[in-house]
Amino acid sequence: MRQALTKVEDPEIHKPITELGMVKDVTIGSEGDVKVGVYLTVQGCPMRETITQRVDSAVSEVTGVGSVEVELDVMSDEQRTELRKQLRGDAEEPRIPFAEPGSLTRVYCVASGKGGVGKSSVTVNLAASMAERGLSVGVVDADIYGHSVPRMLGTESKPTQVENMIMPPQAHGVKLISIGMFTPGNTPVVWRGPMLHRALQQFLSDVFWGDLDVLLLDLPPGTGDVALSTAQLIPNAEILVVTTPQQAAAEVAERAGAIAMQTRQRIAGVVENMSWMELEDGQRVEVFGSGGGQIVSESLTRSVGSEVPLLGQVPLDTRLRESGDSGAPLVLQDPDSPASTVLSDVAKKLSTRARGLAGQLLSVSPA
Ligand SMILES: Nc1ncnc2c1ncn2[C@@H]1O[C@H](COP(=O)(O)OP(=O)(O)O)[C@@H](O)[C@H]1O
Ligand SMILES: [Mg+2]
């Protein structure tokens, strides 16, 4: 009977259910009536019908078998953990390829002090520009509460699962994964620290990114759990600070950058967004004041002890917002607009910059 069951594959994992610990028990009655207990990996498994059918037909083929009854049960947490370990091969902790020594992927965490400064717009345009330059680019929308990257990249696709890997959808040549893809509709996500950490860990370890040149993480504003989790999960990730020219925004952005001091992460630079609006006659109106990017850059340079450059100043442009709303990044749609020119230039700087000591926090203070 077991022999017959080895021919039954789990429709998702594509391995015999006998190898996956999914066969709970088999009882054979005197009349040749067989009862098979099967563990589903999760409650409400969408494949329950398929599994039941497969078991039924495999067992029915055995000579002498009368009726077949399949009884479904659900794996315990321990059984699931065991299965996951088995599928992954060995390691208890999921492996994050970007955090391995010798990883060639540059990881940038896009951070800001407060929301609405254009962090996601910057992330998406940098990613699209890098992808267009021929780089292999991934984006993790780690802004758990304000996830907007899928919309800005114009995709509603869900990730697909192959074996125990999650395949990320792709848009404009950018692979992306978002917490929004795992929540029904527009349900707000109320997650606590440990769950966020686990979700993030999964995005980084279980998503099949392939060999990425660059991975961008759109962090939630501020210095919360997600920022600390990413620092812990990918210590070699660099911080990219986004601010507006406003003094108040600059101060909080500085604080967001300053967590890099505690986590010993490198700060790649500062992008000032919404710097000015250009009128028809070429006159610049500084809607949100001026100097914020410069202030953050100088202040972080002082605290880090090496240069944290102001990488660019992105002007206000209604087309930048419209392109975000319509899911076609401005750098692709209108590459010659002033905002696109600056964003592409920043993308170029971030993708060609050689790894070095620049911006790295030294553990010794200069004498
Ligand atoms: N330079 C800009 N010019 C015009 N609108 C912008 C600019 N940058 C961002 N926006 C718009 O401002 C809003 C907030 O930007 P968003 O990228 O979502 O910020 P964050 O991710 O920091 O919350 C969005 O509607 C976006 O389209
Ligand atoms: Mg955002």
Side-chain angles (χ1 to χ4, degrees):
M1 201 58 62
R2 287 255 161 194
Q3 188 56 37
L5 289 170
T6 58
K7 297 197 196 97
V8 180
E9 282 195 350
D10 179 89
E12 280 176 316
I13 309 175
H14 305 291
K15 286 208 164 114
I17 57 169
T18 46
E19 283 178 29
L20 301 173
M22 289 173 65
V23 179
K24 183 182 178 185
D25 48 25
V26 181
T27 45
I28 305 170
S30 50
E31 314 279 282
D33 46 323
V34 180
K35 222 191 224 173
V36 185
V38 173
Y39 284 121
L40 298 173
T41 49
V42 286
Q43 185 76 46
C45 171
M47 295 295 155
R48 54 194 307 150
E49 296 297 333
T50 315
I51 295 173
T52 306
Q53 262 170 29
R54 287 187 184 181
V55 170
D56 189 300
S57 65
V59 173
S60 304
E61 277 174 19
V62 180
T63 39
V65 168
S67 67
V68 182
E69 196 186 324
V70 180
E71 233 176 41
L72 299 178
D73 197 351
V74 178
M75 285 188 174
S76 66
D77 283 346
E78 290 78 42
Q79 285 170 309
R80 245 192 315 273
T81 309
E82 198 47 51
L83 174 61
R84 211 174 294 135
K85 265 193 210 163
Q86 187 193 330
L87 288 176
R88 201 174 267 129
D90 46 67
E92 312 76 53
E93 273 296 293
R95 271 185 56 242
I96 296 176
F98 316 111
E100 307 257 301
S103 160
L104 294 176
T105 308
R106 310 204 57 133
V107 184
Y108 294 109
C109 295
V110 187
S112 72
K114 53 176 205 163
V117 299
K119 200 164 28 65
S120 302
S121 309
V122 167
T123 305
V124 161
N125 279 282
L126 290 181
S129 175
M130 287 170 174
E132 203 198 23
R133 293 168 52 82
L135 299 182
S136 168
V137 184
V139 173
V140 172
D141 182 4
D143 190 347
I144 308 291
Y145 306 104
H147 45 85
S148 52
V149 173
R151 180 176 44 79
M152 286 183 173
L153 279 172
T155 178
E156 281 178 17
S157 308
K158 300 270 177 201
T160 50
Q161 190 161 353
V162 176
E163 303 236 354
N164 53 336
M165 298 298 268
I166 302 166
M167 309 302 284
Q170 199 161 334
H172 305 289
V174 175
K175 292 176 182 156
L176 80 146
I177 207 90
S178 168
I179 198 90
M181 295 169 178
F182 298 89
T183 53
N186 229 352
T187 330
V189 189
V190 186
W191 284 13
R192 302 196 190 290
M195 283 169 76
L196 287 179
H197 187 85
R198 290 254 306 275
L200 213 51
Q201 191 171 39
Q202 221 192 355
F203 285 177
L204 297 167
S205 62
D206 294 355
V207 171
F208 187 76
W209 294 103
D211 285 327
L212 290 184
D213 293 308
V214 180
L215 179 68
L216 295 161
L217 288 97
D218 186 10
L219 299 188
T223 54
D225 291 326
V226 173
L228 294 174
S229 282
T230 37
Q232 211 178 323
L233 295 167
I234 329 176
N236 50 313
E238 300 172 51
I239 312 284
L240 181 66
V241 181
V242 179
T243 183
T244 64
Q246 218 172 348
Q247 182 83 34
E251 278 164 21
V252 285
E254 216 176 287
R255 247 175 281 147
I259 59 153
M261 246 72 80
Q262 292 160 32
T263 57
R264 306 210 152 275
Q265 284 177 291
R266 194 193 326 214
I267 307 174
V270 180
V271 174
E272 187 185 86
N273 185 32
M274 311 188 179
S275 297
W276 54 74
M277 198 164 72
E278 203 162 303
L279 301 182
E280 298 267 314
D281 61 2
Q283 194 192 329
R284 287 177 176 185
V285 183
E286 291 173 332
V287 181
F288 293 113
S290 69
Q294 193 62 37
I295 291 170
V296 179
S297 151
E298 281 167 10
S299 150
L300 289 175
T301 297
R302 265 196 307 280
S303 357
V304 170
S306 63
E307 209 212 336
V308 175
L310 175 57
L311 295 166
Q313 293 176 288
V314 185
L316 273 165
D317 188 335
T318 45
R319 284 167 300 174
L320 188 58
R321 180 187 51 74
E322 285 160 6
S323 69
D325 291 344
S326 67
L330 190 69
V331 288
L332 304 180
Q333 214 180 32
D334 191 354
D336 297 322
S337 71
S340 293
T341 314
V342 177
L343 287 162
S344 307
D345 181 54
V346 174
K348 190 172 162 193
K349 283 178 186 161
L350 292 178
S351 41
T352 53
R353 218 161 56 94
R355 270 184 184 282
L357 281 176
Q360 184 157 43
L361 192 63
L362 302 174
S363 46
V364 286
S365 32

